[in-house]
DNA sequence: TGTACATCAGTGAACGCGCGTTCACTGATGTAC
DNA sequence: TGTACATCAGTGAACGCGCGTTCACTGATGTAC
C-alpha cells in the first residue's frame, strides 16, 4: 500500500497529533504508549518515526497542539460575543461538570501540567508559553493589572483538579460552585 | 541475616512508606518503580510483598502518609502560634520558592493529584479525604462559610502548579507573589 | 507526455530493557513444651 | 529456664509483558529525461 502522497502524510501527521493530545490528557503521558497513539491515529507503531524523532518530541508537539486547540476555542467565542461576556463563558465552560469528566478535550495544564513540570528544562518553554497564553485569555482589562489573569488561571486550574479528586458527583459540583464564587470575587476586587 | 524481629519489620515498613511518599512526589507514581522505593528504603525489591499487596496498595498508603505529614506539620505550628497567624505561616510556606523546587516534601495534591484522579474510583476516597483535610486547615473561621478554605486550597494548588511550569526563577517568584495577593483577597472578601 | 528509477510513508517482526510480581531459599525470631 | 521447631522478613534469580526504538521490506509517489 505505501508509499502515501505528501498530502496524505500531512493528514497522518495531524491524526497522530490529535490522538496524542487526546490520550496524553486522558491517561497521562507515562501511561500512554507510542503504540496507543498510533493505533488511535489508525496506523501501526513502526511509522511513528517518519513523523517524530522520539516520544519526547511528540509530547512537546502534542501539548502545544492541545493548547492551540483550547486557545482557538476561546478566540472563536471572542469574535461572536463581547470580550467580557466571552471570558465569562470561558470560565463557565472551564468550571463545568463536563470538563471535570472529559479530560481528553479539556485544559492541557490541568491534565499534563504536573507531569510536564517534572521533566525539568526539557519542556519548560512550552509550559511557560502555555501558561502565558491561557492567562492572557482571562485578563479582565488588557491595560489593567497584568496578574489578575494569572491568579484566575491558578484558581481555575486548582478548582478543576480538586473537583476531579472528589469521590461523588455532588461533591465535585460543590467544588465547582465554590470556584465560580471565588473567580467572581477575584474579578471584582482585583486592585 | 533474616529473619528480622517484629519491631524491625515495623521500622522497615515506615522506611518504605517514607521512601514512597518522597519518590512518588518527586518523580510521579508511574515513573517510580517498586525497586526504586525499596532501594531508597535500604532493601531489595523482593521483600516488598511482605509489606504491601501491590504497588497500587502502596500508592494509596504512601499518599495518605504524605498527607498525614503535611497536616501534622501544620498542626505543630498551630499549637505554638495563634490560629490566624499559623494559617498565614502555612500559606507563606506553601507559596515559597522552596516549595516550588522541592516537590518531594511538598503538597501531595500538587505532586500526585492529577495522576491520582486518573485512576478513577480506586483512590477516590483517599483523594477526597486529603482535599477535605487540607481545606479545613485553611478555613478562616470554623463557624463561617465552609467553602472559603476549599477555594483557598484550589488557589494554592493552582499557583504552585503554575510556578513549577515557569521556565525562569523570576517568573516563578512573580507567580507566587500573584498567588499571595489573590489569597489575601479571598480571605478578606469572602462573604 | 511517457518511461525509468529513486524516494520514502507505512508495515510488522525484532531488539534490549525495566517493569510488577513470584518463588525457592536463608537463618534469626518467636513459640510450645 | 532450656530446647526443638515452626514461622516469616528479607534476598536475589526468574517469570511474562509491554515499552521505546530499529530495521528490512513493500509499493505507490515524485522526479529526471
Amino acid at each position: 500500500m505505501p508509499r502515501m502522497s505528501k498530502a496524505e502524510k500531512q493528514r497522518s501527521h495531524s491524526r497522530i497529533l490529535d490522538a496524542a493530545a487526546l490520550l496524553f490528557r486522558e491517561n497521562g503521558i507515562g501511561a500512554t504508549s507510542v503504540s496507543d497513539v498510533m493505533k488511535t491515529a489508525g496506523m501501526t507503531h513502526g511509522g511513528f518515526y517518519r513523523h517524530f524523532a522520539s516520544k519526547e518530541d511528540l509530547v512537546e508537539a502534542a501539548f502545544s497542539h492541545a493548547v492551540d486547540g483550547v486557545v482557538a476555542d476561546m478566540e472563536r467565542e471572542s469574535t461572536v460575543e463581547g470580550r467580557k461576556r466571552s471570558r465569562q463563558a470561558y470560565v463557565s465552560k472551564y468550571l463545568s461538570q463536563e470538563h471535570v469528566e472529559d479530560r481528553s478535550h479539556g485544559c492541557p495544564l490541568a491534565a499534563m501540567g504536573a507531569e510536564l513540570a517534572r521533566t525539568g528544562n526539557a519542556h519548560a518553554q512550552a509550559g511557560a508559553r502555555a501558561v502565558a497564553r491561557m492567562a492572557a485569555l482571562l485578563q479582565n482589562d488588557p491595560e489593567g493589572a497584568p496578574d489578575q489573569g494569572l491568579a484566575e488561571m491558578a484558581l481555575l486550574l486548582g478548582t478543576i483538579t480538586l473537583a476531579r479528586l472528589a469521590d461523588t458527583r455532588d461533591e465535585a459540583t460543590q467544588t465547582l460552585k465554590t470556584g465560580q464564587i471565588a473567580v467572581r470575587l477575584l474579578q471584582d476586587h482585583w486592585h
Side-chain angles (χ1 to χ4, degrees), chain A:
Chain A
M1 194 189 302
R3 148 192 186 189
M4 269 70 177
S5 75
K6 280 188 172 183
E8 207 146 352
K9 188 192 179 183
Q10 204 178 65
R11 242 173 291 141
S12 293
H13 194 87
S14 287
R15 284 201 329 271
I16 295 171
L17 229 35
D18 286 341
L22 209 96
L23 293 175
F24 285 156
R25 279 182 283 186
E26 180 66 33
N27 306 317
I29 298 167
T32 302
S33 70
V34 168
S35 206
D36 289 336
V37 172
M38 292 302 278
K39 226 172 282 171
T40 301
M43 300 156 70
T44 58
H45 64 276
F48 174 75
Y49 295 89
R50 299 280 176 194
H51 293 272
F52 298 95
S54 63
K55 188 187 177 183
E56 273 301 285
D57 192 15
L58 174 65
V59 167
E60 186 142 341
F63 174 71
S64 294
H65 183 64
V67 174
D68 286 346
V70 170
V71 170
D73 246 36
M74 169 62 177
E75 282 170 349
R76 205 175 305 124
E77 283 181 49
S78 281
T79 58
V80 181
E81 317 183 56
R83 186 180 166 80
K84 209 159 217 161
R85 284 192 73 80
S86 70
R87 266 182 298 105
Q88 298 293 355
Y90 184 62
V91 170
S92 283
K93 216 167 139 186
Y94 198 105
L95 296 180
S96 69
Q97 196 65 45
E98 292 77 44
H99 191 197
V100 171
E101 280 158 22
D102 183 16
R103 286 184 295 272
S104 65
H105 300 90
C107 177
L109 290 176
M112 313 167 59
E115 210 170 350
L116 216 71
R118 260 192 271 270
T119 46
N121 288 26
H123 307 296
Q125 250 193 341
R129 207 181 317 128
V131 172
R133 289 178 72 185
M134 298 188 65
L137 293 180
L138 293 163
Q139 192 62 32
N140 253 336
D141 176 8
E143 316 288 314
D147 286 343
Q148 166 264 328
L150 190 64
E152 209 169 311
M153 179 75 248
L155 186 53
L156 293 183
L157 180 55
T159 302
I160 199 80
T161 303
L162 293 186
R164 284 175 178 162
L165 280 165
D167 60 349
T168 67
R169 186 183 283 245
D170 282 355
E171 219 177 289
T173 306
Q174 189 54 44
T175 303
L176 294 176
K177 273 186 187 164
T178 303
Q180 279 154 6
I181 294 171
V183 167
R184 217 164 301 143
L185 210 144
L186 238 52
Q187 289 177 339
D188 292 346
H189 290 83
W190 195 272
H191 279 211

